[in-house]
Amino acid sequence: MKSKNFLHYAIVTLKGMAMGAADVVPGVSGGTIAFISGIYEELITSINNIEPSLFKVWKNEGFNVFWRKLNGNFLVALFLGIAISILSLAKFISWLLVNEAILLWSFFFGLVVASIFFVGKAIEKWNIAAVLVLLIGAALAYYITILPPSENVESLPFLFLSGALAVCAMILPGISGAFILVLLGSYKTILDAVHERNVQIIATVGLGAIFGLLSFAKLLKWMFNHYKNITLALLTGFILGSLNKIWPWKEVLETQTFGDKIITVKEQNISPMAFDGDAQITYAIIAAIIGFSLIFVLERTASKK
């Protein structure tokens, strides 16, 4: 692997920040950002390198060889960016979800529409199998978006499972890890644990996430190595099906109150013309165009080696 300079890893950190910002929003996947920004396969490969035999390399050949085989600089730079984004942008994005939801969802809607084009463009050969898998992926992602959220759950084994499933979704383009937590009924529990510094819950979810990440990365790497075309079609379908969740104009049908927070548990998409309130159509279109254009900028940047 050729040597990479500080600027390269600074850019990786910025891409990590973009992934983190996306993962904060229930309905948007950081995996989509990773794919469009050109680091998806390197991320999967690097995670896949983490295995017990790697530590024998450290013992027998030294830390420098271990770190290179791990692709440690890349992983540290990326996850540093994700952590910075989550810690610094979480409150701001939460504020936007409450106060400027239409504009935020419009921005992500434009971003995801452009993502469908670019992920689909990576499919080298379109055939009946690719189209069928794309439709299956779209149907599965759409079905996930219409599932009703579960009641709040605080069981530690279930939270471990939640962490594992959420991180798998996080690295899949089109499926949001945060939204999976909402569906499982773990989102508020984990959010409260972070705010309250509940080490037991944070550690349980973290261990689940590590387990899910390491195991699922192996499956994804195998799929890319043996069925890349079909895998890309499936991921394109996931992104297409996720559009239902991030349509900007919704009618809330049912909510639940958790302490001082009101969580929407059932909603339906509606036309902006039927929206009760200021539909902000002009600003929403501008936000969507900005999101759509951003993907072109990311893709252009990623293509420059």
Side-chain angles (χ1 to χ4, degrees):
M1 183 181 293
K2 65 181 181 180
S3 177
K4 297 175 181 176
N5 58 26
F6 175 81
L7 178 60
H8 171 84
Y9 291 114
I11 293 173
V12 171
T13 298
L14 291 175
K15 292 176 179 179
M17 291 179 67
M19 287 179 63
D23 280 322
V24 169
V25 181
V28 183
S29 170
T32 301
I33 303 298
F35 196 99
I36 296 303
S37 61
I39 59 174
Y40 191 74
E41 288 195 58
E42 183 174 2
L43 172 60
I44 298 302
T45 299
S46 299
I47 294 172
N48 206 47
N49 287 341
I50 304 173
E51 53 186 7
S53 63
L54 192 62
F55 295 94
K56 292 182 181 179
V57 173
W58 186 353
K59 180 180 178 181
N60 297 330
E61 302 181 49
F63 179 79
N64 288 338
V65 176
F66 158 83
W67 193 250
R68 283 199 303 272
K69 287 183 177 294
L70 176 64
N71 201 7
N73 288 344
F74 170 81
L75 289 176
V76 168
L78 183 68
F79 285 104
L80 175 64
I82 293 173
I84 290 172
S85 188
I86 290 174
L87 293 174
S88 62
L89 295 180
K91 286 188 178 180
F92 176 60
I93 291 179
S94 296
W95 182 88
L96 287 176
L97 281 169
V98 173
N99 296 280
E100 297 292 348
I102 290 177
L103 300 185
L104 181 66
W105 289 122
S106 296
F107 170 79
F108 279 115
F109 193 87
L111 186 148
V112 171
V113 168
S115 301
I116 295 169
F117 171 77
F118 279 109
V119 178
K121 188 177 70 170
I123 300 173
E124 296 176 353
K125 183 180 179 182
W126 283 98
N127 50 34
I128 294 177
V131 173
L132 184 61
V133 169
L134 185 148
L135 293 175
I136 291 172
L140 178 60
Y142 178 84
Y143 176 72
I144 290 174
T145 67
I146 63 175
L147 288 173
S150 299
E151 296 293 330
N152 198 40
V153 179
E154 298 183 358
S155 161
L156 290 181
F158 189 82
L159 290 173
F160 179 91
L161 177 63
S162 297
L165 292 176
V167 80
C168 291
M170 186 188 78
I171 59 175
L172 272 178
I175 299 181
S176 162
F179 184 59
I180 293 297
L181 292 179
V182 171
L183 291 180
L184 294 173
S186 309
Y187 187 74
K188 181 181 181 296
T189 299
I190 296 170
L191 204 61
D192 288 345
V194 172
H195 291 319
E196 297 166 6
R197 306 292 191 270
N198 187 320
V199 177
Q200 184 183 43
I201 290 179
I202 294 173
T204 300
V205 175
L207 288 173
I210 293 171
F211 173 79
L213 192 63
L214 295 180
S215 56
F216 191 60
K218 292 186 183 297
L219 174 61
L220 276 177
K221 180 64 177 175
W222 182 85
M223 290 175 66
F224 268 104
N225 285 340
H226 295 87
Y227 302 100
K228 184 172 183 178
N229 221 53
I230 292 296
T231 302
L232 288 171
L234 182 65
L235 298 182
T236 305
F238 284 158
I239 301 173
L240 178 63
S242 73
L243 285 175
N244 176 65
K245 176 61 183 173
I246 56 177
W247 176 252
W249 295 277
K250 298 180 183 293
E251 180 183 12
V252 177
L253 302 178
E254 184 181 347
T255 61
Q256 289 184 9
T257 302
F258 298 98
D260 60 347
K261 293 183 179 180
I262 300 176
I263 305 295
T264 299
V265 297
K266 190 176 182 181
E267 59 189 4
Q268 66 180 9
N269 294 335
I270 59 173
S271 162
M273 304 302 178
F275 186 75
D276 184 15
D278 184 5
Q280 299 178 278
I281 296 176
T282 301
Y283 290 119
I285 292 173
I286 293 172
I289 291 173
I290 292 173
F292 190 90
S293 302
L294 180 60
I295 292 301
F296 284 81
V297 173
L298 285 172
E299 196 270 346
R300 181 71 60 85
T301 302
S303 65
K304 292 179 179 179
K305 302 297 181 182

